[in-house]
Amino acid sequence: HNWGIRHKILLLALLPSIAVSLLLGSYLSFTRIDDLREFIHERGSATSQQLAAICQYALRTNNLPLLRAVAAAALEEKGIRVVSIFDADGKRIVHAGPQMLPTYDATSPLRDRFSERETADSIRFSMPVMDEALVSDTVFFPQPQQARIAPLGWIEVEYSFSAFSLKKYKTYLTSSALILLALSITIVVALRTSQHLVDGVKKINEVVGRIRAGDFDARLQPQFDGELRQLANAVNDMGSAIKSSFDEMQHSVEQTTSDLRETLETIEI
């Protein structure tokens, strides 16, 4: 392509900047999104463990009003969409919130261990409620009691990803703004640099054209830097050399003309 200096400088400046900005912005965005997902997993796991501990006594005593109050209170936490509580037979005895979204894994959760399953817009945590010794038991029954192996039931907590969508979009917006800022700074610097070079080349070309037209006194002012200064000095030296040669040639022509005139006068005499 027959591109000028400005276009080549912009191309050389923008291509690496765009590549680095996109790679860095994408890396930071995806890292931030992964951190948010990890935060949801940790928060859901901690919340499930807390609810399981709270529901232990209520499931042992089959206290449904207390279980409903616990489930309703859990919905107040940001991100929790649904809470369901099941008894040892797998029957859902308490449900708070809308219907749970279908998970990618259609199998039922393991009743004796913690598990998590994802849906299109949420993640569901399942936590068994084990029958462990309570503080009140140790008071009234000082002898150590063996914890039952079978769980009293389990709870399911569904966290919605939409609750954290604002943070995700904010991350995308911040990354895009940083990329645009970096590209804008690069474009401004590249334009100023290319404009400086283009203006210098235009002035040098103008002086060379004047010298070619016969203005041997045309010179470039010492306002350039680096290689342009060297080029300007070379053009000035070339102009001085051409003027010196032209002056010598003109002097030689005048001297030859004067000698020829004297010779002709001598012959006429």
Side-chain angles (χ1 to χ4, degrees):
H1 298 282
N2 189 20
W3 289 350
I5 294 178
R6 175 178 297 177
H7 294 89
K8 291 181 179 178
I9 291 177
L10 287 176
L11 182 65
L12 293 176
L14 288 180
L15 282 182
S17 300
I18 292 175
V20 172
S21 298
L22 290 178
L23 289 176
L24 185 59
S26 300
Y27 172 76
L28 293 177
S29 297
F30 286 120
T31 301
R32 177 59 177 164
I33 298 304
D34 287 339
D35 291 342
L36 287 175
R37 293 181 67 90
E38 184 65 23
F39 171 74
I40 295 176
H41 282 267
E42 294 178 356
R43 188 169 182 177
S45 175
T47 302
S48 301
Q49 294 177 7
Q50 293 174 359
L51 288 178
I54 295 173
C55 293
Q56 181 184 141
Y57 175 77
L59 281 173
R60 291 180 66 185
T61 59
N62 198 24
N63 191 336
L64 293 181
L66 179 58
L67 291 174
R68 294 191 186 96
V70 170
L75 290 180
E76 300 297 327
E77 182 176 345
K78 180 180 179 182
I80 295 183
R81 180 177 178 272
V82 186
V83 175
S84 290
I85 303 176
F86 300 82
D87 60 14
D89 297 328
K91 179 182 178 182
R92 184 166 60 185
I93 56 178
V94 172
H95 180 84
Q99 289 295 325
M100 288 189 172
L101 299 175
T103 60
Y104 295 131
D105 185 4
T107 59
S108 300
L110 300 175
R111 300 184 182 182
D112 59 345
R113 69 191 64 178
F114 173 78
S115 63
E116 55 186 48
R117 296 174 294 164
E118 290 193 10
T119 72
D121 299 313
S122 64
I123 180 170
R124 190 185 304 177
F125 301 91
S126 300
M127 175 67 70
V129 181
M130 307 304 295
D131 187 10
E132 299 176 351
L134 299 177
V135 176
S136 59
D137 293 336
T138 60
V139 173
F140 293 103
F141 304 97
Q143 300 81 11
Q145 294 184 355
Q146 178 107 18
R148 298 178 186 173
I149 301 300
L152 295 172
W154 76 90
I155 62 173
E156 287 192 354
V157 180
E158 187 174 275
Y159 263 84
S160 175
F161 290 144
S162 61
F164 302 92
S165 296
L166 181 60
K167 292 184 178 180
K168 180 174 68 174
Y169 295 141
K170 185 178 180 180
T171 299
Y172 288 142
L173 182 61
T174 302
S175 299
S176 301
L178 291 177
I179 291 174
L180 291 178
L181 178 62
L183 292 180
S184 300
I185 294 175
T186 302
I187 291 175
V188 171
V189 174
L191 285 176
R192 288 177 62 88
T193 303
S194 63
Q195 188 63 41
H196 176 70
L197 291 176
V198 169
D199 290 343
V201 171
K202 285 183 178 179
K203 290 180 180 179
I204 293 174
N205 188 45
E206 179 183 352
V207 170
V208 170
R210 289 171 59 187
I211 294 175
R212 183 174 60 246
D215 184 6
F216 301 126
D217 293 324
R219 295 292 184 272
L220 288 165
Q221 300 298 323
Q223 57 183 7
F224 302 99
D225 299 322
E227 287 76 7
L228 283 181
R229 177 183 288 274
Q230 297 177 3
L231 181 59
N233 292 335
V235 171
N236 288 337
D237 293 341
M238 181 189 67
S240 299
I242 293 176
K243 179 174 174 55
S244 178
S245 298
F246 181 79
D247 290 342
E248 290 179 1
M249 182 184 65
Q250 188 175 16
H251 177 71
S252 177
V253 170
E254 291 176 354
Q255 184 65 36
T256 301
T257 302
S258 177
D259 293 343
L260 182 60
R261 185 180 297 110
E262 292 178 359
T263 302
L264 290 176
E265 290 177 352
T266 302
I267 293 174
E268 290 178 356
I269 295 174

